[in-house]
Amino acid sequence: MEAHSKPEGVAQRPLIVADGLVKTYRMGAEVVKALDGVSLTIAEGEFVAIMGPSGSGKSTMMNLIGALDVPTTGTLAIDGRDIGALDSDELADLRNRSIGFVFQQFNLLPRTTALRQVMLPMLYAHPKPENPEELARHRLEQVGLGDRLNHHPRQLSGGQQQRVAIARALVNNPKILLADEPTGALDSKTSDEIMRLFTTLNAGGITVVLVTHEPDIAEWASRRVLFKDGHIVEDVRHAHRGVADRGMVSAAQRGSEAAE
Amino acid sequence: MTLLDCLRVALTALKANLLRSILTTLGIVIGVASVIILVAVGTGASSEVDRQINALGTNTLIVSSGDRRMGGRSSGAGSDRPLAEADMVAIRDKVSGVVAISGQLNGSGPVVYGNANWTTNLSGIHAEFNAVKDWPVASGRELTPSDIRSNAKVAMIGVTVAKQLFGENDPIGAMIRVKNVPFQVVGVLAAKGQSGVGRDQDDTVLMPMSTARGRIVGRSQVQNDQIGMIHVKIDPQISLVDAQEDIENLLRQRRPPLPGGEDSFSVRNLAEFMKARNEVLNTLSYLLAATSVISLVVGGIGIMNIMLVSVTERTREIGLRMAVGGKGRDIMRQFLVEAVTLCLFGGLIGIAIGVGAAALVALYAQWPVVVSPSVIALAMAAAAATGVFFGYFPARRASQLNPIDALRSE
């Protein structure tokens, strides 16, 4: 249908479909419209940056895409499920199966080893994986922390902590990786490392939705959606930095492997 | 989330605030310890009371003249009329179910053997006394009806008297002087121990009623057929209450009532007397039970308080758990398990203290103490129930947090 006419192979099936999303909050006597009729389709395999100043509605959009909240009116389908029709337990299951969260403050549990952090989402999975420890170890190796399995957050640098969080987000094989200002607490060198990791993961097939207010970071994405006053004011696709960088990433990885 | 997972999370959280966890459980510790002590000592006490009731003879009645109740005041003619031989004979002949009966006329005085002397309780009795009181002789013989009839100067002595006068020697056949009257020791009573009120029952000399009446209680006070109190042993097949009523009816015919219409005698049921004593113990048990319930409640409130603090401190963790797929009931279970773990931890310490204290009571108070596994199970169950009850509210609060707000909290 229309999808055929769309550019650059968005023939991938739509993963997130928002149609006329409205979200209102009551603040005392005042009713605040955080989202005012937002329609947006994100296909499987995309790397989307959601941008906008504070109060633009991007955080609200992120909460909805993360199935942490439901819209006031309009529909939002995530991985084929209309989240407005789900109860809180079904939303929890959807988050557990389909969405991996990465936060600005990492949100790791104190006094808990990296391995246990990554095993956390599997505690709530149905059915439970048979070898959670092995899966968790595999994910930590994938983010380059194979030698930090039994470290506590305090013993890890910020970048390493964020990698643990990413491994945790990936462990249930979600369709969507939802990152809320993932580099907000990191220096620029570490930020680049983390964004490179996202790019690699995206190249592996996972859909990445990145919420940020930093244009530098948004450049890593292949599509930028700009929010303002509860509306989408700009939605552009472009060649993302990761494409140009990809050769470099693998070169760097090869280099570090060689060094070890 | 399995229980094992919950337990692991709970232990991590509790270890993180070890001192706080220990202080929080103090109320539970005290509650559980007092439950243990209460039941251990209480069970021991009631088995002791049972033993004393059995020692008294469960089917025994004691008849005494009513003047005792007047507390030393003279209450007019007849009120101090003591029970007489004829009363005893009437009871034996007319009340059905009497298997043994004996009077007991009490006094006290010095007993001398050689250089040794000892002041003791002196009692005149009838031949069936040993049968009524279930109190056989350990050596020698009991008093016979002919001893009674013939005013024989023979005596049975308790083991305390035997020890004081004879030491290790055999008293049987020896001549002792009771209030300066020579008596021959014919029997040594079996050891009986303390009475329900703590009197040494073995500190006694028993002699024929007829002999005692003349010599033991000062002559001027003694009517020549006086027999003190009457012990009646009733056939176990027959209701003690019925027998008691029969005796009361009989004595009412034989003895005029006191001015004011009260009976001039009383019939006591020793088992009932001991039961009343048991009730005092029960009251004490209720007090201890109240103490343990109160400390469990106070401890529970402490648990609830600290769990609320914990929920607040860990709001972000709760938000994260919800974001990665934790449902309300998963969060609820996690915090309930934590509260119950805290309480069971306190319970274990409480059991250790309780068992230790019960052992000390047993050691120093010479009081029989029974710590049974069921008591320990009960105490742990009480601790766990406290955890569930007082952990529910904080756990529910945690489970109802909004994940967005929880993730954003500082």
Side-chain angles (χ1 to χ4, degrees), chain B residues 130 134-139 157-160 187-193 201-202:
Chain B
N130 302 69
D134 284 325
W135 195 3
V137 290
S139 62
I157 62 178
V159 289
T160 302
V188 177
L189 292 156
K192 202 170 174 77
Q201 298 176 95
D202 295 318

Side-chain angles (χ1 to χ4, degrees), chain B residues 65-68 73-83 223 255 258 264:
Chain B
S65 54
D67 53 355
R68 286 171 181 276
R73 273 186 301 129
S74 172
S75 303
S79 71
D80 60 348
R81 191 182 127 193
L83 292 164
Q223 296 180 4
R255 296 167 62 87
L258 297 175
S264 62

Side-chain angles (χ1 to χ4, degrees), chain B residues 26-332:
Chain B
L26 271 184
I28 304 293
V29 170
I30 294 168
V32 167
S34 53
V35 168
I36 299 277
I37 297 170
L38 149 78
V39 181
V41 174
T43 313
S46 66
S47 71
E48 171 69 6
V49 168
D50 285 348
R51 195 190 64 74
Q52 288 177 356
I53 289 175
N54 287 337
L56 285 165
T58 44
N59 50 342
T60 307
L61 296 171
I62 296 179
V63 186
S64 49
S65 54
D67 53 355
R68 286 171 181 276
R69 293 194 298 172
M70 305 314 284
R73 273 186 301 129
S74 172
S75 303
S79 71
D80 60 348
R81 191 182 127 193
L83 292 164
E85 293 277 359
D87 292 320
M88 187 179 91
V89 171
I91 291 170
R92 177 163 57 202
D93 293 349
K94 289 183 182 159
V95 174
S96 59
V98 175
V99 292
I101 191 164
S102 170
Q104 181 179 4
L105 183 61
N106 289 325
S108 68
V111 187
V112 180
Y113 174 74
N115 291 330
N117 75 85
W118 181 247
T119 299
T120 184
N121 301 300
L122 309 171
S123 295
I125 57 165
H126 292 97
E128 289 172 10
F129 183 81
N130 302 69
V132 176
K133 298 278 280 183
D134 284 325
W135 195 3
V137 290
S139 62
R141 64 169 178 86
E142 296 177 4
L143 303 184
T144 62
S146 82
D147 289 331
I148 314 290
R149 274 195 305 275
S150 64
N151 293 11
K153 294 187 186 112
V154 292
M156 294 183 287
I157 62 178
V159 289
T160 302
V161 176
K163 193 186 281 175
Q164 292 296 336
L165 295 188
F166 296 96
E168 298 302 311
N169 299 325
D170 181 12
I172 304 296
M175 296 301 291
I176 57 174
R177 298 178 75 84
V178 179
K179 283 196 169 176
N180 267 338
V181 180
F183 275 79
Q184 184 179 32
V185 177
V186 295
V188 177
L189 292 156
K192 202 170 174 77
Q194 290 195 343
S195 72
V197 289
R199 191 172 57 81
D200 178 8
Q201 298 176 95
D202 295 318
D203 187 8
T204 191
V205 172
L206 304 179
M207 60 195 68
M209 178 63 75
S210 48
T211 320
R213 213 155 31 217
R215 305 173 187 270
I216 304 312
V217 185
R219 260 166 230 189
S220 59
Q221 303 166 21
V222 178
Q223 296 180 4
N224 58 10
D225 59 351
Q226 172 181 354
I227 58 170
M229 65 179 101
I230 305 173
H231 298 278
V232 191
K233 184 170 189 148
I234 304 296
D235 184 342
Q237 307 293 329
I238 291 185
S239 155
L240 205 57
V241 177
D242 288 350
Q244 184 168 355
E245 234 166 67
D246 286 353
I247 294 172
E248 280 166 357
N249 288 337
L250 178 67
L251 291 180
R252 260 178 220 125
Q253 290 164 20
R254 297 178 56 86
R255 296 167 62 87
L258 297 175
E262 279 186 81
D263 286 337
S264 62
F265 61 89
S266 70
V267 181
R268 279 182 300 148
N269 177 338
L270 270 185
E272 270 169 19
F273 169 66
M274 290 309 294
K275 273 181 202 146
R277 217 173 95 79
N278 207 1
E279 270 160 26
V280 174
L281 276 170
N282 280 340
T283 311
L284 210 68
S285 300
Y286 291 141
L287 272 175
L288 254 171
T291 309
S292 43
V293 166
I294 288 169
S295 26
L296 279 176
V297 168
V298 171
I301 291 169
I303 298 277
M304 178 151 74
N305 185 28
I306 226 67
M307 289 308 297
L308 284 171
V309 169
S310 181
V311 167
T312 307
E313 281 176 351
R314 289 154 68 193
T315 302
R316 269 173 91 94
E317 176 191 327
I318 294 164
L320 172 76
R321 287 176 182 279
M322 288 176 160
V324 301
K327 300 188 176 101
R329 60 170 176 274
D330 293 318
I331 306 297
M332 174 117 174

